[in-house]
Amino acid sequence: DALGGDWVGGPVDAKDGTPYANVGEVAFECFLEVRELSAHPEDQLGRNLGELSKLMNPDVASNGRHYRGGDVCAVVVDVNFLKDDAGQCVLSLLSQNKTPLFTTWETGLFSTQVSVFVNVLDAEGDIKYHLLGRMGGNPSGRGAGVTVDSSLKGRGWVHLFSARKGLGGHELSYFEGRGSMRVAIALPYSGMGDHRGTPIWAGYISDYYAQDTRVITSKAVR
């Protein structure tokens, strides 16, 4: 139920991101769950918030008025990649199956940035998760891309950022290498500009562009 809108996943060719043909040599297990962070203050998701805590402010009193911040949800991705056909196959997950009409497909000298918080809850083996970037020899990819690996395990919520010149293509995210990983993802942003590592609050605005909110930042059904 976590996937919705124009977001998809499945085994694809590591070279160009096309659907993988030799599926008999591929085996994986995958589970996704959307959870509200404030509802789990004592477990792994609610501890070690780091910079993410600055963007989570559920109750603020000012001048006698009471304000409530927006809910912050995370998608928890649990993957066990058992067989990858000797590295020829990767597992696409949280990728788009169509491109929004506003995308310019590399026309113009634009800066594109990715800002996202991740929390690696568990990781074993050589598995890596490439988020919101490009895949293999496929030149298209709307985001600049960040990589999540086992080095982030146990560090709590970590902010990842990257930027590049150019804009266009789909959101491409995929697991590469054999092993298992359980990772939570919150407040992803892939769009124009270069904030040089400053965390970005995408809020619910992203839903109007690419239905991002439905997948990762909220349980709301639009």
Side-chain angles (χ1 to χ4, degrees), residues 9-11 23 25-33 76-84 89-93 122 124 127 129 175-183:
V23 293
E25 295 300 319
V26 176
F28 62 87
E29 299 173 330
C30 179
F31 303 92
L32 291 92
E33 178 187 10
V76 181
V77 182
D78 194 345
V79 166
N80 188 7
F81 211 158
L82 303 169
K83 296 172 58 179
D84 63 357
C89 177
V90 297
L91 176 59
S92 171
L93 194 60
D122 196 12
E124 301 290 341
I127 194 168
Y129 192 15
F175 283 90
E176 175 187 31
R178 294 172 60 184
S180 62
M181 178 180 290
R182 184 169 181 258
V183 56

Side-chain angles (χ1 to χ4, degrees), residues 92-108:
S92 171
L93 194 60
L94 298 179
S95 296
Q96 287 182 311
N97 64 1
K98 64 176 180 287
T99 302
L101 296 178
F102 72 93
T103 303
T104 61
W105 286 88
E106 310 297 349
T107 301

Side-chain angles (χ1 to χ4, degrees), residues 110-115 143-146 160-166 191-197:
F110 300 104
S111 292
T112 307
Q113 61 186 334
V114 167
S115 170
V146 295
L160 301 179
F161 171 84
S162 67
R164 73 174 180 89
K165 296 293 184 183
M192 305 287 285
D194 183 353
H195 284 70
R196 301 183 183 275

